[in-house]
Amino acid sequence: MGKNKDEFVKEITNIEDDIAQWYTDIVRKADLADYTEVKGFVTIKPYGYAIWENVQKYADEKFKETGVENVYFPILIPENLLEKEKDHVEGFAPEVAWVETAGSNKLEERLCIRPTSETIISTMYSKWLNSWRDLPMVYNQWCNVIRWEKETRPFLRSREFLWQEGHTIHETEEEARNRTLQMLDIYDDLTQNLLAIPTIKGRKTPKEQFAGAEETYTIETMMYDGKALQSATSHYFGQNFSKPFEIKFQNREGKEEYAYQTSWGLSTRLIGAIIMAHGDNRGLKLPPKVAPIQVVIVPIAQHKEGVLDKANEVFAELKKNFRVKVDDRDNYSPGYKFNDWEMRGVPVRVELGPRDIANGVCVVSRRDTGDKQEVKLTELSDTIEELLVDIHNNMYAECEKRLKERTTVAHTLEEFEKQINEKQGFIKTMWCGDVACEDKIKELTAAKSRCMPFEQENLGETCVCCGKKAYRMVVWGRQY
Amino acid sequence: MGKNKDEFVKEITNIEDDIAQWYTDIVRKADLADYTEVKGFVTIKPYGYAIWENVQKYADEKFKETGVENVYFPILIPENLLEKEKDHVEGFAPEVAWVETAGSNKLEERLCIRPTSETIISTMYSKWLNSWRDLPMVYNQWCNVIRWEKETRPFLRSREFLWQEGHTIHETEEEARNRTLQMLDIYDDLTQNLLAIPTIKGRKTPKEQFAGAEETYTIETMMYDGKALQSATSHYFGQNFSKPFEIKFQNREGKEEYAYQTSWGLSTRLIGAIIMAHGDNRGLKLPPKVAPIQVVIVPIAQHKEGVLDKANEVFAELKKNFRVKVDDRDNYSPGYKFNDWEMRGVPVRVELGPRDIANGVCVVSRRDTGDKQEVKLTELSDTIEELLVDIHNNMYAECEKRLKERTTVAHTLEEFEKQINEKQGFIKTMWCGDVACEDKIKELTAAKSRCMPFEQENLGETCVCCGKKAYRMVVWGRQY
């Protein structure tokens, strides 16, 4: 028989005691993923993968509305291609896995498993591009990549992860810059409207840019413990790749010109963001729009005549509008099931017992607040529709409240240190633009610059670190 | 300006002269894929990838209707896992790519890039399975795999390809066998109803089985030149993997038992099947249901007032029901565009000029027969709907006619040789069940056993090769 509520909940580490262990518990006990025997490589289980499919579907539709076309480039990249752009190879070479043998044959040139595909895609663009009439090329691929990270954590930092990488080339700088920001806006919309997580949108400092980019733009989010997660990025390359890779075209004046390029990506890391932004001591808490199961129906006294029939009838009705499941397992108690689905973060639970059925009602609970209400079966579908919207908004508001409460302004390094140690979160400061100040802040506080937000505020005239003339307002934070 | 019809067509090699070169021409000129600098690795371009997306969507929906759940397992498999099932490692080790270095570190154990995932998935199943209540597990992943083949050809035999691999474990042999055939039926349906290619459904001879399988089932199709293509396979493993990998459970009697297992897959090879089964000397010919563009609108005299407006109006109307495109390129003539879209295999073309517009009509051509008809604009959508169905049926019928004409019966090896050399195609014979006869036939004729079809015929009592007592009717053919 099922365990009682308290026993069950004890299996998850308290989030305030040890958030890292809490995270691992959720990943495994909510059946999102499991470890394999190779460090840093996880298996994404059906419940976790279904979240990813919902992210994919949402993003892919938005991409295609803007003219993105999907493609597939090889996973193996010859070493000579990786080396063509100096910053890029420096950034990625320490993390790439190399194939040197196939079958029993040593390869003539070793091939790396893509850590990202700028080099192979630039090579092909160079081959395909002739005239301004061929532009733009706005391609994207959904695929796996490998980066041999030292510290790993399921979803947040895996040696293999799934992502989409968009790569575009354009006739003009302006068009490429617009595309960079257009895709950032899609990521921003997705993070807020699908995942119910508020964002800070801005530009990375040069130190934190993608290896080879001229500018990197980012969507930054705050997790449960006040740490930052970089949720998606969009890069403007200018001609940094098009020159070494010779991506040239005849422009409208008949002259040879190098194309302007972008790339942009989001990954299965977003599943980690969902866990860390919304979860609590009862487990996972899924935003309704991305939840694989939006409504779970738990029959009470399901052995009694008519209960399962009615549950299935309600299921058939709700299935028209929602992702819904009946939990008719006969070897667990309703109490166990309640806890189980709470732990898995299902937004709405419907309880249905013999007395409810006789009265034409059911009990509806929401995962975010725990509130329960009795609802007429005839009004159930409408009620759930409203509830899901309300749950999304409430989850977003909770995160927004935290983001506000844990974002503070610092004018001096002493304030900075004190604030980040007392109330781990984001610190807003003015900054001179010098990487030395970033390095010093990181050394002192373990915080990195998250971005120079688009929404700049004037917090003073001088850099928080060196006191020299300020260049921009920066948001800082410790990161996942 | 555009080239005339004849000039244009000359760019594609004649299919009767050199089908291999014709195939390569189509792949490149119809913009399906392009070669990279690493042999056997191609880039799938937007037009080719869009075909794959249509295959994926169709298959994924059918899978999910039967309870399949999608997952993702790591691409890298430790050598010790690959070696656990004897036949499996013998079959795949000669073709796998090995990762031995990551960054600048030599790995303790080398990892292979998955050629298929039975071994890693079996390892995880063994970890997850406890009781009969956990069964079945019916998982599938859409991913890339690498097999270092010697001879390569885009789509048909690439060193990297995209596929889905389903892997299931079951409580009983019967359930696993049913799942094996259930998935084969989905592949059969997909090949016929999506790709418009008739099939032969049957069981592989033991010699042609998947490495490690107890039984392999296959969907065999015939290409333009009478050669065979194995289009999808479904394997019953029995306990071949569950024993070495210890995939055990407590059965309903409380006893420990090994699970019964299946796997099944289809791949981007199907894009090759579409090209080779349907194409002709005018280029690609796409089955309507899988075509990325079902209808192309070519405006005539598009510089004249109102023509492009009307074309866009017709586009907006057709877009409600079809995948449609307006070709408004101003640097090509209508004649060039006609040829271009024929070469790309678009099933229906709509021509629309000033005189048509004045009369409220347009000219509709079909790619499969070349037939043209004048259609009232008010009836265009209905006409196209009927046409697409008719084109699908006609394309299927063409392939079926070829399959019938090029399938012959042989009672002796002499007949077999004569028939396959005169009229390359499928040969039906009785067979004793002995691998020695398969080897001999292959040596003499370069034909392999395709399968023992489910629809058996009694063609006599003795084996075509050795004259001993016949076991089954086999279909033979040369293969891609």
Side-chain angles (χ1 to χ4, degrees):
Chain A
M1 292 311 295
K3 298 159 184 170
N4 76 34
K5 218 160 176 162
D6 286 326
E7 268 181 310
F8 187 83
V9 171
K10 272 187 204 147
E11 295 179 20
I12 304 173
T13 303
N14 191 294
I15 193 168
E16 273 79 22
D17 293 346
D18 182 351
I19 192 170
Q21 187 57 47
W22 169 89
Y23 180 84
T24 305
D25 288 350
I26 302 291
V27 165
R28 300 191 63 186
K29 288 180 205 285
D31 245 1
L32 298 172
D34 198 3
Y35 293 93
T36 70
E37 63 177 78
V38 184
K39 178 181 156 62
F41 287 81
V42 299
T43 291
I44 306 180
K45 298 187 77 175
Y47 198 53
Y49 200 84
I51 296 173
W52 179 236
E53 287 184 303
N54 288 335
V55 170
Q56 285 188 298
K57 188 164 181 287
Y58 189 93
D60 201 64
E61 277 174 17
K62 298 274 178 195
F63 293 165
K64 283 178 177 160
E65 282 168 17
T66 73
V68 173
E69 297 182 288
N70 285 338
V71 292
Y72 188 74
F73 288 83
I75 189 175
L76 297 184
I77 301 175
E79 185 164 21
N80 80 80
L81 295 189
L82 192 71
E83 287 175 342
K84 276 197 182 174
E85 207 288 327
K86 200 179 72 42
D87 290 339
H88 191 73
V89 65
E90 271 178 26
F92 284 104
E95 307 189 334
V96 300
W98 293 102
V99 173
E100 286 146 314
T101 310
S104 50
N105 299 319
K106 198 88 185 161
L107 301 180
E108 282 175 30
E109 179 180 12
R110 63 180 188 162
L111 307 169
C112 83
I113 300 185
R114 65 178 159 230
T116 179
S117 299
E118 277 74 11
T119 55
I120 178 86
I121 294 182
S122 292
T123 306
M124 299 308 285
Y125 275 156
S126 146
K127 202 172 154 188
W128 297 334
L129 181 60
N130 293 300
S131 145
W132 63 272
R133 287 183 183 276
D134 303 324
L135 291 169
M137 296 189 193
V138 181
Y139 296 170
N140 173 65
Q141 65 181 3
W142 292 94
C143 64
N144 55 341
V145 292
I146 287 190
R147 297 180 186 174
W148 219 266
E149 307 262 8
K150 285 200 186 69
E151 300 294 319
T152 63
R153 200 193 296 252
F155 300 123
L156 291 175
R157 203 168 283 276
S158 291
R159 286 186 173 169
E160 180 184 17
F161 56 90
L162 304 182
W163 76 344
Q164 60 66 217
E165 47 178 328
H167 296 266
T168 72
I169 48 174
H170 303 269
E171 193 183 346
T172 64
E173 172 175 347
E174 189 192 358
E175 196 183 290
R177 286 189 178 278
N178 287 345
R179 174 57 71 173
T180 310
L181 296 180
Q182 183 181 28
M183 302 321 284
L184 191 74
D185 282 342
I186 290 179
Y187 294 148
D188 192 42
D189 164 73
L190 183 148
T191 310
Q192 295 190 56
N193 293 325
L194 186 71
L195 311 185
I197 304 175
T199 59
I200 296 175
K201 205 161 65 159
R203 190 182 145 193
K204 286 279 182 195
T205 60
K207 175 182 158 75
E208 300 296 331
Q209 267 171 209
F210 180 85
E214 197 159 310
E215 292 174 6
T216 288
Y217 296 88
T218 181
I219 301 296
E220 298 288 325
T221 54
M222 184 187 278
M223 301 294 101
Y224 187 90
D225 57 355
K227 281 196 191 168
L229 190 81
Q230 175 182 302
S231 299
T233 49
S234 186
H235 317 290
Y236 172 67
F237 289 134
Q239 298 172 322
N240 290 357
F241 284 85
S242 68
K243 283 182 177 166
F245 284 90
E246 299 196 27
I247 311 177
K248 290 182 292 194
F249 65 100
Q250 260 214 339
N251 68 19
R252 287 172 202 250
E253 286 74 48
K255 287 188 186 142
E256 196 168 76
E257 190 172 349
Y258 292 102
Y260 299 85
Q261 198 168 357
T262 83
S263 83
W264 26 275
L266 64 75
S267 76
T268 37
R269 166 168 250 216
L270 288 178
I271 302 172
I274 295 169
I275 302 170
M276 277 279 192
H278 296 301
D280 62 19
N281 274 326
R282 304 210 56 76
L284 190 62
K285 199 195 281 175
L286 289 175
K289 290 185 207 168
V290 88
I293 302 169
Q294 297 174 306
V295 183
V296 63
I297 302 170
V298 179
I300 312 294
Q302 67 179 46
H303 58 282
K304 293 209 175 152
E305 203 188 316
V307 172
L308 276 182
D309 287 346
K310 192 68 186 179
N312 288 326
E313 192 187 309
V314 171
F315 167 79
E317 187 55 34
L318 294 181
K319 205 162 77 90
K320 293 175 194 162
N321 301 310
F322 312 105
R323 297 187 287 271
V324 56
K325 182 185 171 74
V326 179
D327 184 355
D328 59 2
R329 289 178 288 177
D330 60 9
N331 56 327
Y332 290 104
S333 69
Y336 179 92
K337 292 178 185 177
F338 292 176
N339 286 314
D340 195 25
W341 294 112
E342 276 179 18
M343 207 249 301
R344 287 165 189 260
V346 174
V348 171
R349 180 178 77 229
V350 173
E351 300 162 37
L352 194 67
R355 199 181 308 168
D356 302 315
I357 294 169
N359 296 330
V361 299
C362 61
V363 176
V364 174
S365 312
R366 48 192 285 179
R367 169 67 179 87
D368 60 335
T369 59
D371 290 350
K372 284 187 171 203
Q373 56 177 313
E374 193 174 275
V375 176
K376 283 186 194 159
L377 288 176
T378 52
E379 293 167 6
L380 183 58
S381 189
D382 290 344
T383 303
I384 289 175
E385 196 168 331
E386 286 165 26
L387 260 183
L388 292 179
V389 172
D390 199 55
I391 291 171
H392 173 92
N393 292 339
N394 181 53
M395 287 175 70
Y396 184 90
E398 284 271 321
C399 290
E400 202 176 30
K401 188 164 159 267
R402 178 174 62 225
L403 180 61
K404 282 197 176 138
E405 284 176 1
R406 298 182 89 151
T407 302
T408 52
V409 172
H411 296 94
T412 64
L413 276 185
E414 293 67 38
E415 280 177 22
F416 194 127
E417 272 196 88
K418 185 162 176 284
Q419 286 162 18
I420 203 154
N421 290 333
E422 274 177 10
K423 187 199 273 193
Q424 178 165 266
F426 291 173
I427 314 282
K428 288 186 199 171
T429 79
M430 298 310 289
W431 170 63
C432 61
D434 194 341
V435 70
C437 290
E438 283 184 271
D439 291 341
K440 185 165 177 195
I441 287 171
K442 192 185 163 202
E443 206 189 306
L444 274 175
T445 67
K448 286 187 180 184
S449 68
R450 306 313 317 155
C451 67
M452 301 178 282
F454 288 160
E455 286 185 23
Q456 286 281 310
E457 298 164 45
N458 186 358
L459 309 174
E461 304 303 321
T462 56
C463 174
V464 68
C465 182
C466 65
K468 285 186 194 147
K469 191 172 177 331
Y471 163 64
R472 285 282 188 284
M473 180 188 82
V474 164
V475 171
W476 311 79
R478 292 172 182 156
Q479 73 173 32
Y480 276 102
Chain B
M1 291 313 295
K3 298 158 185 170
N4 76 34
K5 219 160 176 160
D6 285 325
E7 268 180 312
F8 187 82
V9 172
K10 272 187 203 146
E11 295 179 19
I12 304 173
T13 304
N14 191 293
I15 192 168
E16 273 80 22
D17 293 346
D18 184 350
I19 192 171
Q21 188 56 49
W22 169 88
Y23 180 84
T24 305
D25 288 349
I26 302 291
V27 165
R28 300 192 63 185
K29 288 181 204 288
D31 244 1
L32 299 172
D34 198 2
Y35 293 93
T36 70
E37 64 177 75
V38 184
K39 177 181 156 62
F41 288 80
V42 298
T43 291
I44 306 180
K45 297 186 77 174
Y47 199 53
Y49 199 84
I51 296 173
W52 179 236
E53 288 185 302
N54 288 335
V55 171
Q56 285 188 299
K57 188 164 180 288
Y58 189 93
D60 201 65
E61 276 174 17
K62 297 274 178 195
F63 293 166
K64 284 177 177 160
E65 282 169 17
T66 73
V68 172
E69 297 182 289
N70 285 338
V71 291
Y72 189 74
F73 288 83
I75 189 176
L76 297 184
I77 301 175
E79 187 164 21
N80 80 80
L81 295 189
L82 192 71
E83 287 174 342
K84 276 198 182 173
E85 207 288 328
K86 202 178 71 46
D87 291 341
H88 191 72
V89 66
E90 272 178 25
F92 284 104
E95 303 188 339
V96 299
W98 294 101
V99 174
E100 287 145 314
T101 310
S104 50
N105 299 317
K106 198 90 185 159
L107 301 180
E108 283 175 29
E109 180 180 11
R110 63 180 187 162
L111 307 169
C112 83
I113 300 184
R114 65 180 158 228
T116 179
S117 299
E118 278 74 11
T119 55
I120 179 86
I121 294 182
S122 292
T123 306
M124 298 309 285
Y125 274 156
S126 147
K127 202 171 154 188
W128 297 334
L129 180 60
N130 292 300
S131 144
W132 63 271
R133 287 182 183 275
D134 303 324
L135 291 170
M137 295 189 193
V138 182
Y139 296 170
N140 173 64
Q141 66 182 1
W142 292 94
C143 64
N144 55 341
V145 292
I146 287 190
R147 297 180 186 175
W148 219 264
E149 307 263 7
K150 286 201 186 67
E151 299 295 318
T152 63
R153 199 193 298 252
F155 300 122
L156 291 175
R157 203 168 283 277
S158 291
R159 286 186 173 168
E160 180 183 18
F161 56 91
L162 304 181
W163 78 343
Q164 61 68 216
E165 48 178 327
H167 296 266
T168 72
I169 48 174
H170 303 268
E171 193 182 346
T172 65
E173 173 175 347
E174 190 192 358
E175 196 183 290
R177 286 187 177 280
N178 287 344
R179 173 58 71 172
T180 310
L181 297 179
Q182 182 181 29
M183 302 320 285
L184 191 75
D185 282 343
I186 290 178
Y187 294 148
D188 192 42
D189 164 73
L190 183 148
T191 310
Q192 296 190 54
N193 294 325
L194 186 72
L195 312 185
I197 304 175
T199 60
I200 297 176
K201 204 161 67 160
R203 191 182 144 192
K204 286 279 182 194
T205 60
K207 175 181 157 74
E208 300 295 332
Q209 267 171 209
F210 179 85
E214 197 159 310
E215 293 175 5
T216 287
Y217 296 88
T218 181
I219 301 297
E220 297 289 325
T221 55
M222 184 187 278
M223 301 294 99
Y224 187 92
D225 58 354
K227 279 195 191 169
L229 190 80
Q230 176 183 302
S231 299
T233 48
S234 187
H235 317 290
Y236 172 67
F237 289 134
Q239 298 172 322
N240 290 357
F241 284 84
S242 68
K243 282 181 178 167
F245 285 89
E246 301 197 26
I247 311 175
K248 290 181 292 194
F249 65 101
Q250 261 213 337
N251 67 19
R252 289 173 201 249
E253 286 75 48
K255 287 186 187 144
E256 195 167 76
E257 190 171 348
Y258 291 102
Y260 298 86
Q261 198 168 356
T262 83
S263 84
W264 26 274
L266 64 74
S267 76
T268 38
R269 166 168 250 214
L270 288 179
I271 301 172
I274 294 169
I275 302 169
M276 278 277 193
H278 296 302
D280 62 19
N281 275 326
R282 303 210 56 77
L284 190 62
K285 199 194 282 177
L286 290 175
K289 291 185 206 168
V290 89
I293 303 169
Q294 297 173 306
V295 183
V296 63
I297 301 170
V298 179
I300 312 293
Q302 67 179 47
H303 57 282
K304 293 209 174 151
E305 202 188 319
V307 172
L308 276 183
D309 287 345
K310 192 69 186 178
N312 288 325
E313 192 186 308
V314 171
F315 167 79
E317 187 56 34
L318 293 181
K319 205 162 76 91
K320 293 176 194 161
N321 300 309
F322 312 105
R323 297 186 288 271
V324 56
K325 183 185 170 74
V326 179
D327 183 353
D328 58 3
R329 289 178 287 177
D330 60 10
N331 56 328
Y332 290 105
S333 70
Y336 179 92
K337 292 178 184 177
F338 293 176
N339 286 312
D340 195 26
W341 294 112
E342 277 178 18
M343 206 251 300
R344 288 165 190 258
V346 174
V348 171
R349 180 178 77 229
V350 172
E351 299 161 38
L352 194 67
R355 199 180 309 168
D356 302 315
I357 294 169
N359 296 330
V361 299
C362 61
V363 176
V364 175
S365 312
R366 47 192 285 179
R367 169 66 179 88
D368 60 334
T369 59
D371 289 351
K372 283 187 172 203
Q373 56 176 312
E374 193 176 274
V375 176
K376 284 187 193 159
L377 288 175
T378 51
E379 293 167 8
L380 183 58
S381 189
D382 289 345
T383 303
I384 290 175
E385 196 168 332
E386 286 165 26
L387 260 184
L388 292 179
V389 172
D390 200 55
I391 291 170
H392 173 92
N393 292 339
N394 181 52
M395 288 176 68
Y396 185 90
E398 284 272 320
C399 289
E400 200 176 31
K401 186 164 159 268
R402 178 174 64 225
L403 179 62
K404 281 196 178 138
E405 283 175 3
R406 297 183 89 149
T407 302
T408 52
V409 172
H411 295 94
T412 65
L413 276 184
E414 294 66 39
E415 281 178 21
F416 194 128
E417 272 196 87
K418 185 161 176 286
Q419 286 161 18
I420 203 153
N421 290 333
E422 275 179 9
K423 188 199 274 193
Q424 179 165 267
F426 291 172
I427 314 282
K428 289 185 199 171
T429 79
M430 297 311 289
W431 170 63
C432 62
D434 194 342
V435 70
C437 290
E438 283 183 271
D439 291 340
K440 187 166 177 192
I441 287 171
K442 193 185 162 201
E443 205 189 306
L444 274 175
T445 68
K448 285 186 180 184
S449 67
R450 306 313 316 156
C451 68
M452 303 177 282
F454 289 159
E455 286 185 22
Q456 285 282 310
E457 297 164 45
N458 187 355
L459 308 174
E461 303 303 321
T462 57
C463 175
V464 69
C465 181
C466 65
K468 285 186 194 147
K469 192 172 177 327
Y471 162 66
R472 285 281 188 285
M473 179 187 84
V474 163
V475 171
W476 311 79
R478 291 171 184 155
Q479 73 173 32
Y480 277 102

